[in-house]
Amino acid sequence: MIEVKDNKVNLAGSTYDLMQEFQAIVLCMKKLIEEDNRTGMEPGYFVQGLASLALGRDFYAWMSSDTPPENNKHVLLSFENFSFPLVGRYEEDSHGGAYYIGDDTRTCGSDGMIVNAWMNLPTPYRDEEEQDG
């Protein structure tokens, strides 16, 4: 049972100060925004990260292939009939959508590969000298 009294929450035997928790969240959000600005990360990653926190799932969790990623965005693909995940993308047009490996023009399905899930890619490594220069 969750109890709230005087800006404190009692959850599973532990007590949390709501104001301290809120300040910690704001600090984390500020750090994420600063990191996005410092690394030149694609716009939207911060918002997607917050959405995944709000939805209670990891931004880097596997998602069913039935719920495709953004059109033409590179992601990690998992396969029902292949042992290793590969980097690929999902493309959709007026006739429907399909998954592709890398920048290939042949669909995964045409190569007999059955995509069962996808995951966001982590931010690429950048040497600090590259970022500053």
Side-chain angles (χ1 to χ4, degrees):
M1 184 163 101
I2 300 173
E3 297 176 30
V4 179
K5 184 177 179 184
D6 299 325
N7 285 334
K8 300 209 184 304
V9 175
N10 188 341
L11 176 65
S14 297
T15 302
Y16 302 93
D17 183 297
L18 291 177
M19 192 52 81
Q20 285 180 344
E21 297 298 323
F22 177 74
Q23 289 171 346
I25 290 169
V26 169
L27 180 62
C28 288
M29 290 170 56
K30 182 180 177 196
K31 287 182 178 183
L32 284 172
I33 291 170
E34 289 170 354
E35 182 68 11
D36 281 1
N37 290 337
R38 187 181 68 75
T39 61
M41 193 182 294
E42 257 182 61
Y45 273 114
F46 173 71
V47 173
Q48 290 173 347
L50 286 179
S52 49
L53 285 173
L55 294 172
R57 72 164 182 80
D58 186 356
F59 183 64
Y60 296 106
W62 287 108
M63 298 292 296
S64 169
S65 60
D66 296 334
T67 308
E70 293 174 30
N71 196 31
N72 214 22
K73 176 183 176 185
H74 283 86
V75 294
L76 192 60
L77 300 177
S78 173
F79 302 92
E80 185 177 303
N81 58 343
F82 189 69
S83 300
F84 300 102
L86 298 170
V87 174
R89 69 191 191 287
Y90 179 82
E91 284 189 14
E92 190 169 337
D93 59 22
S94 59
H95 304 293
Y99 287 94
Y100 298 81
I101 299 297
D103 293 323
D104 202 349
T105 57
R106 292 174 45 97
T107 67
C108 292
S110 69
D111 287 335
M113 299 177 81
I114 301 167
V115 177
N116 59 5
W118 64 271
M119 180 189 301
N120 286 302
L121 292 172
T123 304
Y125 171 79
R126 300 264 194 274
D127 189 2
E128 287 191 29
E129 289 180 16
E130 288 178 23
Q131 293 175 14
D132 296 336

